[in-house]
Amino acid sequence: MSGLNLYTYFRSSAAYRVRIALNLKGLDYHPHFVHLLKDGGEQHHDAYHELNPQDLIPALVTDDGATLTQSLAIIEYLDETYPEPALLPASTTARAFVRSLALMVCCDIHPLNNLRVKAYLEGVMNSSDDEYLAWYQHWISEGLGALENRLNSQQHNSPYCYGDTPSIADLCLIPQLYNAKRFDSDIRLYPTLGKINTNCMELEAFIKAAPENQPDRE
Amino acid sequence: MSGLNLYTYFRSSAAYRVRIALNLKGLDYHPHFVHLLKDGGEQHHDAYHELNPQDLIPALVTDDGATLTQSLAIIEYLDETYPEPALLPASTTARAFVRSLALMVCCDIHPLNNLRVKAYLEGVMNSSDDEYLAWYQHWISEGLGALENRLNSQQHNSPYCYGDTPSIADLCLIPQLYNAKRFDSDIRLYPTLGKINTNCMELEAFIKAAPENQPDRE
């Protein structure tokens, strides 16, 4: 199918990031729904595995047929290909700061708390529900606490993570906060992050990308 | 101290990535050694915590005094600030591919297998040595297997992950392979990755960055 084709699941934080980017850029896309829990996980079925041998969501198939994977790589691609509005600031130091915030979520919180890790802890290591919840909340607390401190240490005074417009950092933060709330984390502990969340969730691009507004929501 | 100041630990995969980038760019830097195991972990001491509230290595303090964190953000900064030799290809699609390979390591392998996760599994969840080793090797096998497949699905035919020169992807892959060997993973299962490893380890920039060649090695 021509145009941009996004392989997505309503609750996937990584797909949620890319949906926000596409919406901010004003780009239409064809969604393809990959259910992460049905039939042993549709991401493991041949149709998707051939597209992305890592069996992870999202993937974006571009206009010219290239299959892009890994949400941050997809978002950087979109920002390079469709520069307006920019998702990274202009100065190299500010870009590094914004990218570091995004990576604090994408490397140091999300991979520890996603479905495949939950399946391993419960299925192989026989973790109880309580043990899993404690694990989940430990990494949320470490990660969101560090993000809050990192922003505050920079005398944070923006409506968003950096500057006056949403950046890659906000695209990663908002889905992570949504996810944290699902697992009963108290995000009132992070007032700066909470303020950014409120500001982002007033924007159409973020609202339209939210899990509850996806056609495949349950 | 003027110039580039790198906070590093010889065995940290993330610091190792940045050391390779600095060497490839021919940049001198002042190393500051942060021992991740001594005295409860020097990364938690006030001196380092004030620099990086996430208590993770590496951090790079730039010429103009900005503190950069998160290895991939630091490497992108170095590539933007010192463009030669380029660590990313020119085309947007190829850049997305190279970044996705780097993120497969930095998001989906390394964060699951680093020291703080080991400490949690052993200290809080009472995992045995065997259980930790099985956990470690599971994520190595998932991650390196997916990387090998992703490269092979692109008819990989380069000395490096992509093209004729090392890219961000190689900077992430080589430290991860070094780490995997330490934990008895059989990297002969991944012949394409093994070939790339051999080619990279012939380059002075990679050799000089290796853990065994650091002043703080043990």
Side-chain angles (χ1 to χ4, degrees), chain A residues 69-83:
Chain A
T69 64
Q70 288 286 341
S71 62
L72 279 184
I74 295 172
I75 293 167
E76 295 261 4
Y77 168 89
L78 292 172
D79 206 38
E80 290 176 348
T81 310
Y82 310 96

Side-chain angles (χ1 to χ4, degrees), chain A residues 113 115 118 132-133 136-137 140 177-186:
Chain A
N113 285 346
L115 270 182
K118 186 169 189 284
Y132 180 72
L133 198 63
Y136 182 96
Q137 293 184 341
I140 283 290
L177 292 175
Y178 165 85
N179 196 274
K181 282 187 272 188
R182 275 191 66 221
F183 284 87
D184 298 330
S185 294
D186 186 357

Side-chain angles (χ1 to χ4, degrees), chain A residues 36-201:
Chain A
L36 299 189
L37 299 170
K38 208 161 63 182
D39 299 333
E42 291 180 348
Q43 72 277 24
H44 302 300
H45 295 194
D46 286 352
Y48 189 74
H49 182 78
E50 279 167 28
L51 208 60
N52 180 6
Q54 209 184 3
D55 293 2
L56 292 177
I57 292 293
L60 183 77
V61 179
T62 66
D63 280 329
D64 52 9
T67 301
L68 311 185
T69 64
Q70 288 286 341
S71 62
L72 279 184
I74 295 172
I75 293 167
E76 295 261 4
Y77 168 89
L78 292 172
D79 206 38
E80 290 176 348
T81 310
Y82 310 96
E84 297 298 330
L87 299 179
L88 282 168
S91 98
T92 51
T93 303
R95 292 163 75 84
F97 178 62
V98 165
R99 284 191 175 113
S100 78
L101 300 176
L103 290 162
M104 286 171 77
V105 173
C106 299
C107 295
D108 295 325
I109 304 177
H110 180 250
L112 291 158
N113 285 346
N114 68 7
L115 270 182
R116 61 187 197 142
V117 171
K118 186 169 189 284
Y120 189 95
L121 288 172
E122 293 175 348
V124 180
M125 297 180 93
N126 299 313
S127 300
S128 65
D129 288 354
D130 283 352
E131 282 174 321
Y132 180 72
L133 198 63
W135 161 276
Y136 182 96
Q137 293 184 341
H138 175 75
W139 301 115
I140 283 290
S141 158
E142 287 270 311
L144 295 184
L147 263 173
E148 177 85 11
N149 288 344
R150 184 95 167 103
L151 287 172
N152 293 340
S153 74
Q154 306 282 312
Q155 286 81 46
H156 183 266
N157 191 23
S158 302
Y160 306 109
C161 284
Y162 181 87
D164 294 328
T165 52
S167 69
I168 285 182
D170 303 290
L171 271 56
C172 298
L173 175 63
I174 304 311
Q176 188 60 65
L177 292 175
Y178 165 85
N179 196 274
K181 282 187 272 188
R182 275 191 66 221
F183 284 87
D184 298 330
S185 294
D186 186 357
I187 71 162
R188 288 172 305 181
L189 296 169
Y190 317 106
T192 300
L193 305 185
K195 191 185 65 179
I196 295 167
N197 191 47
T198 302
N199 293 330
C200 286
M201 290 312 295

Side-chain angles (χ1 to χ4, degrees), chain B residues 35-183:
Chain B
H35 200 297
L36 299 189
L37 298 169
K38 207 160 65 183
D39 299 333
E42 290 179 351
Q43 72 276 28
H44 303 301
H45 295 194
D46 286 352
Y48 189 74
H49 181 78
E50 278 167 28
L51 207 61
N52 180 6
Q54 207 183 4
D55 293 2
L56 292 176
I57 292 294
L60 182 78
V61 179
T62 66
D63 279 330
D64 52 9
T67 302
L68 311 184
T69 63
Q70 289 286 341
S71 61
L72 279 184
I74 295 171
I75 293 167
E76 293 261 5
Y77 168 88
L78 293 173
D79 206 39
E80 290 175 350
T81 309
Y82 310 96
E84 297 298 333
L87 300 178
L88 281 167
S91 100
T92 51
T93 304
R95 291 163 76 83
F97 178 63
V98 165
R99 283 191 175 114
S100 78
L101 300 176
L103 290 162
M104 285 171 77
V105 173
C106 299
C107 294
D108 295 324
I109 304 177
H110 180 249
L112 292 157
N113 285 347
N114 67 8
L115 268 182
R116 62 187 195 141
V117 171
K118 186 170 190 281
Y120 189 94
L121 288 171
E122 293 175 348
V124 180
M125 298 180 92
N126 300 313
S127 300
S128 65
D129 287 354
D130 283 351
E131 282 173 322
Y132 180 73
L133 198 63
W135 160 277
Y136 182 96
Q137 293 184 340
H138 174 77
W139 301 115
I140 284 290
S141 157
E142 287 271 312
L144 295 185
L147 263 173
E148 177 84 11
N149 287 342
R150 185 96 168 102
L151 288 173
N152 292 341
S153 74
Q154 307 281 313
Q155 285 80 47
H156 182 268
N157 191 23
S158 303
Y160 306 109
C161 284
Y162 181 87
D164 293 328
T165 52
S167 69
I168 286 182
D170 302 291
L171 271 56
C172 297
L173 175 63
I174 303 313
Q176 187 61 66
L177 292 175
Y178 165 85
N179 197 275
K181 281 186 273 186
R182 274 192 66 221
F183 284 88

Side-chain angles (χ1 to χ4, degrees), chain A residues 14-34:
Chain A
Y16 187 176
R17 295 170 197 153
V18 175
R19 293 195 303 259
I20 302 169
L22 289 162
N23 293 345
L24 283 167
K25 300 282 185 188
L27 295 166
D28 282 331
Y29 61 93
H30 305 289
H32 299 260
F33 304 114
V34 182

